[in-house]
Amino acid sequence: MIRAAVLPAVGSALEITGIELPEPGPGQVRVRLAAAGVCHSDLSLSNGTMRVPVPAVLGHEGAGTVVAVGEGVTHVAPGDGVVLNWAPSCGNCHPCGLGEVWLCANALTGAADVHARTADGTELHPGLNVAAFAEETVVAAGCVLPVPDGVPLTEAALLGCAVLTGWGAVHHSAQVRAGETVAVFGVGGVGLATLQAARIAGAATIVAVDVSPEKEELARAAGATHYVLASDSTAKEIRALTGGHGTDVAVECVGRATTIRTAWESTRRGGRTTVVGIGGKDQQVTFNALEIFHWGRTLAGCVYGNSNPAEDLPVLAEHIRAGRLDLSTLVTERITLEGIPGAFANMLAGKGGRALVVF
């Protein structure tokens, strides 16, 4: 038996309980978790904004040590440090064939599998494939990538979602160029990673936007040159900071219709807005046809940072080793499994950056 955070049903409170994991079968890997980040997507799974089979073990951003491997697994071995990849590409579907592995049509099929059982025999599913809110997990071989040299195992957990997403939003989706101006909406874990990515890209002006004045210090440490408290005048304030034009790029990390609209309005004519935040179906964003023509702006969705983890992790590792990317500054709270509900509450209240479950 190992301890895990189980979601019994959508909208229910998490239960910290013992579960029984099977031994890894062919093409599977068993991992002892070192740490798992608490992401807003986990909250979205628990409240039904995103749907997966339940009951489930949540958690999709993690890193740990390989305990055992099943038949046919050769790229990792017991004792190796690994990062969990919650969205492995199948390599065979249409998006994968186009090289857009972040849109793999089969990436989440594993979420319907039976992952483990409770003591009374209740079948559990792996929330987003990897079930990282547990002392150990068993995943498909495609869900693990070796931790790059020089990256601390505990902090490597952040590479599994927040950092790849923020990095990719800047470098793959928005394609920020040196000297450009950037606005980042939402200073949580992903937002802090996005700010660092914008700084690394050489952005000249980086405006962080959030509802909480307490996050200004975090934002500036990550690379923000300006901090704006979210209000009805946010777009005007950002244009004032950029010579009246607006930023070249806006990255929305919140997932709310009003924030998406404000991010779009904050960019210059011809500007680019990338939406990272995951919103509900009730969040409707509206534009009129004339303004779309007149402003010439682009609005793009961004899944997992439009990243290929196998290619991007070595790049991120080089920035970490060189001191350009600081994973520790994303973490504002280190907790146990029992602290996850409190981390969810902090998210809803707009408090802090990334909470990290440390085992």
Side-chain angles (χ1 to χ4, degrees), residues 199-271:
R199 173 176 48 76
I200 292 170
T205 299
I206 305 173
V207 183
V209 182
D210 199 275
V211 297
S212 171
E214 287 77 20
K215 290 189 178 182
E216 181 172 0
E217 184 177 350
L218 286 172
R220 291 189 180 275
T225 59
H226 300 78
Y227 191 81
V228 172
L229 281 176
S231 70
D232 293 340
S233 63
T234 294
K236 290 181 180 179
E237 291 182 56
I238 291 175
R239 286 197 294 271
L241 293 171
T242 53
H245 306 294
T247 57
D248 297 299
V249 170
V251 181
E252 200 273 358
C253 305
V254 180
R256 294 195 185 119
T258 54
T259 316
I260 294 170
R261 175 75 204 201
T262 302
W264 188 80
E265 291 177 353
S266 298
T267 62
R268 64 170 174 82
R269 197 174 187 189

Side-chain angles (χ1 to χ4, degrees), residues 7-322:
L7 178 68
V10 172
S12 297
L14 289 181
E15 297 178 356
I16 311 303
T17 187
I19 66 171
E20 296 179 355
L21 274 179
E23 291 303 311
Q28 291 186 320
V29 179
R30 184 164 182 150
V31 177
R32 179 178 299 114
L33 272 295
V38 183
C39 178
H40 204 283
S41 295
D42 299 309
L43 178 59
S44 295
L45 292 171
S46 71
N47 64 26
T49 300
M50 297 170 61
R51 292 197 173 275
V52 292
V54 291
V57 179
L58 298 186
H60 65 281
E61 180 184 84
T65 303
V66 175
V67 175
V69 299
E71 181 182 351
V73 177
T74 59
H75 71 296
V76 294
D80 288 349
V82 292
V83 176
L84 298 181
N85 173 19
W86 61 269
S89 59
C90 70
N92 298 315
C93 67
H94 184 64
C96 286
L98 296 174
E100 299 173 350
V101 297
W102 54 92
L103 298 178
C104 175
N106 301 308
L108 293 179
T109 56
D113 294 343
V114 175
H115 171 71
R117 288 177 169 80
T118 61
D120 65 5
T122 301
E123 294 181 345
L124 302 173
H125 302 284
L128 285 178
N129 282 328
V130 296
F133 288 167
E135 293 170 331
E136 295 188 12
T137 187
V138 174
V139 299
C143 290
V144 296
L145 295 166
V147 172
D149 292 339
V151 180
L153 186 58
T154 299
E155 294 174 357
L158 302 170
L159 296 174
C161 184
V163 177
L164 272 173
T165 299
W167 171 266
V170 168
H171 291 269
H172 299 318
S173 180
Q175 298 182 7
V176 174
R177 298 180 290 269
E180 289 195 310
T181 54
V182 178
V184 178
F185 288 75
V187 185
V190 173
L192 289 169
T194 302
L195 289 168
Q196 290 205 48
R199 173 176 48 76
I200 292 170
T205 299
I206 305 173
V207 183
V209 182
D210 199 275
V211 297
S212 171
E214 287 77 20
K215 290 189 178 182
E216 181 172 0
E217 184 177 350
L218 286 172
R220 291 189 180 275
T225 59
H226 300 78
Y227 191 81
V228 172
L229 281 176
S231 70
D232 293 340
S233 63
T234 294
K236 290 181 180 179
E237 291 182 56
I238 291 175
R239 286 197 294 271
L241 293 171
T242 53
H245 306 294
T247 57
D248 297 299
V249 170
V251 181
E252 200 273 358
C253 305
V254 180
R256 294 195 185 119
T258 54
T259 316
I260 294 170
R261 175 75 204 201
T262 302
W264 188 80
E265 291 177 353
S266 298
T267 62
R268 64 170 174 82
R269 197 174 187 189
R272 314 181 306 274
T273 298
T274 287
V275 178
V276 173
I278 301 172
K281 293 180 180 179
D282 61 325
Q283 297 291 309
Q284 299 293 316
V285 188
T286 59
F287 307 90
N288 68 58
L290 180 60
E291 64 180 332
I292 291 175
F293 161 77
H294 172 76
W295 289 103
R297 295 163 171 153
T298 58
L299 178 67
C302 180
V303 178
Y304 205 6
N306 293 5
S307 294
N308 182 337
E311 295 179 357
D312 286 325
L313 283 184
V315 176
L316 290 168
E318 181 55 36
H319 287 299
I320 293 168
R321 289 192 291 265

